[in-house]
Amino acid sequence: MKKGMTIAFVPKQLGGNLYLEAASKGGKGVVEKLASTFKEVGTTDSTDTSGQAEYIDQLTNEGVDAIAVSAQDPEALCSALKRAMDKGIAVITYDSDTRPECRNVFVSPADTDELTFKLVQSLAEQIDYKGDIAILSASRNATNQNTWIKSMKEDLATDPRYTHINLVTVAYGDDKDNESYQLTGSLLKQYPNLKGIISPTTIGVKAAARYLSGSPYKGKVRLTGLGTPNDMRPYVKDGTVQSVELWDPTELGKLAAWTAASLVSKKITGREGQAFRATGGEFVTLKTNGVVNLGEPTVFTIKNIDQYNF
Ligand code: RAM
């Protein structure tokens, strides 16, 4: 691997998102081990897409070697990312993708179908396969959120076991804790027959759990989603939540940095079928459209949540 590279991370949001902070920490560790320089820039608001594009232009002008971005929007960053690639900068997305032609590789946390299958299945079981449910998402344009929501809607529409489950709305808390908390209250008021909520965002699911745990809905309105074990431990232990799932965001950041370094070092170019050794020595193969998967998400319940610390 080359040394002396500059690899820049541009998370969807800086500050207030521990998941993305953990990913950056993982990335930083890998970059520094490669005797290279880690940079992190970004907007504090996960909906400030023009701001995110400006940061990419800034990094392109500085002439960094690689940019790793968790995209706020699939389209809006494309011109900026293409300018970066035209200048020879390796561009990867991690966590949340752009259109495939706007980056070299997408480092995806997990397989979409598998991830959403587990979320829907878990909530369906808890509500006895009937009743109204809602999704509490992050920002409206986030590629990862919308990919997961689409897949959950497909599951609900096509699996005959879910015929009596009715998705009443998708609400957007913009990955802001307070907004997601308030929104949970509004959903419960607006849909008095609500039986369950799926929140595929670490900030959303934590805020919704906090709301439920201090309300008469605790244990009655079911909640699942993508949450960190450290955030969700109290709510799993107090019976508000039975299970959530996630992957280790630090590992996602490590794989993102390693992938970026492999591109800069010309070990891969982003073509399907190319393989490279990841940080643990295992081989990772690029799938269709240059996608790399971190692995399978872990399901956390009262039985295993204490074994995890992230
Ligand atoms: C939030 C963000 C992030 C998502 C995780 C699960 O932190 O929306 O993009 O991947 O949740």
Side-chain angles (χ1 to χ4, degrees):
M1 210 69 97
K2 259 178 115 172
K3 289 191 174 129
M5 297 175 278
T6 300
I7 297 182
F9 270 46
V10 189
K12 264 205 294 199
Q13 179 184 20
L14 268 194
N17 187 328
L18 295 176
Y19 167 95
L20 292 169
E21 283 174 18
S24 292
K25 199 170 152 225
K28 185 170 189 269
V30 166
V31 172
E32 288 174 353
K33 271 208 187 107
L34 293 170
S36 295
T37 306
F38 176 84
K39 273 194 79 141
E40 188 191 39
V41 292
T43 64
T44 51
D45 187 333
S46 68
T47 62
D48 181 7
T49 307
S50 55
Q52 196 175 35
E54 277 170 32
Y55 276 113
I56 291 160
D57 278 334
Q58 184 186 306
L59 293 168
T60 303
N61 292 338
E62 282 172 28
V64 298
D65 295 292
I67 299 174
V69 57
S70 165
Q72 291 178 3
D73 184 296
E75 303 283 336
L77 304 177
C78 278
S79 319
L81 292 175
K82 282 181 177 165
R83 276 193 290 278
M85 288 192 288
D86 286 347
K87 245 190 123 180
I89 297 172
V91 172
I92 70 151
T93 47
Y94 69 99
D95 180 51
S96 182
D97 201 9
T98 56
R99 281 196 274 120
E101 64 272 26
C102 312
R103 46 71 178 161
N104 301 116
V105 175
F106 171 43
V107 180
S108 164
D111 178 72
T112 297
D113 292 343
E114 196 180 311
L115 177 115
T116 58
F117 176 85
K118 281 188 188 158
L119 288 179
V120 176
Q121 175 61 32
S122 162
L123 191 68
E125 264 173 27
Q126 293 182 54
I127 62 167
D128 288 330
Y129 295 87
K130 53 179 184 288
D132 290 351
I133 65 164
I135 292 175
L136 173 62
S137 177
S139 56
R140 204 169 277 274
N141 294 338
T143 326
N144 57 344
Q145 294 288 320
N146 288 336
T147 306
W148 298 331
I149 292 167
K150 184 167 168 252
S151 173
M152 288 193 272
K153 283 184 174 169
E154 275 166 16
D155 276 0
L156 289 167
T158 54
D159 190 324
R161 292 175 306 163
Y162 303 149
T163 313
H164 302 296
I165 296 177
N166 181 27
L167 175 65
V168 290
T169 192
V170 179
Y172 298 91
D174 286 341
D175 269 346
K176 290 179 183 142
D177 175 72
N178 196 31
E179 283 187 34
S180 307
Y181 180 88
Q182 303 290 350
L183 208 48
T184 306
S186 313
L187 285 173
L188 292 162
K189 273 196 205 84
Q190 204 180 338
Y191 301 99
N193 295 322
L194 203 65
K195 295 278 181 299
I197 299 172
I198 301 179
S199 186
T201 134
T202 54
I203 294 181
V205 77
K206 182 186 180 191
R210 193 167 79 253
Y211 189 97
L212 289 174
S213 90
S215 81
Y217 301 102
K218 177 177 164 187
K220 295 196 178 97
V221 172
R222 301 308 176 104
L223 170 69
T224 191
L226 300 178
T228 70
N230 287 354
D231 277 348
M232 300 306 289
R233 186 169 292 110
Y235 307 113
V236 168
K237 293 208 167 165
D238 80 0
T240 306
V241 173
Q242 284 187 6
S243 72
V244 287
E245 57 174 297
L246 201 69
W247 45 90
D248 185 340
T250 309
E251 293 301 322
L252 181 69
K254 282 188 193 169
L255 184 58
W258 192 260
T259 306
S262 303
L263 278 160
V264 175
S265 308
K266 310 261 185 268
K267 295 196 182 290
I268 49 170
T269 61
R271 226 178 321 112
E272 181 180 350
Q274 290 175 333
F276 62 104
R277 270 191 199 282
T279 37
E282 70 281 15
F283 270 110
V284 181
T285 307
L286 299 186
K287 299 191 186 170
T288 319
N289 283 332
V291 177
V292 166
N293 268 338
L294 177 68
E296 280 183 31
T298 307
V299 177
F300 308 108
T301 66
I302 193 135
K303 289 201 183 117
N304 68 353
I305 200 157
D306 280 340
Q307 294 164 25
Y308 298 90
N309 183 19
F310 63 84

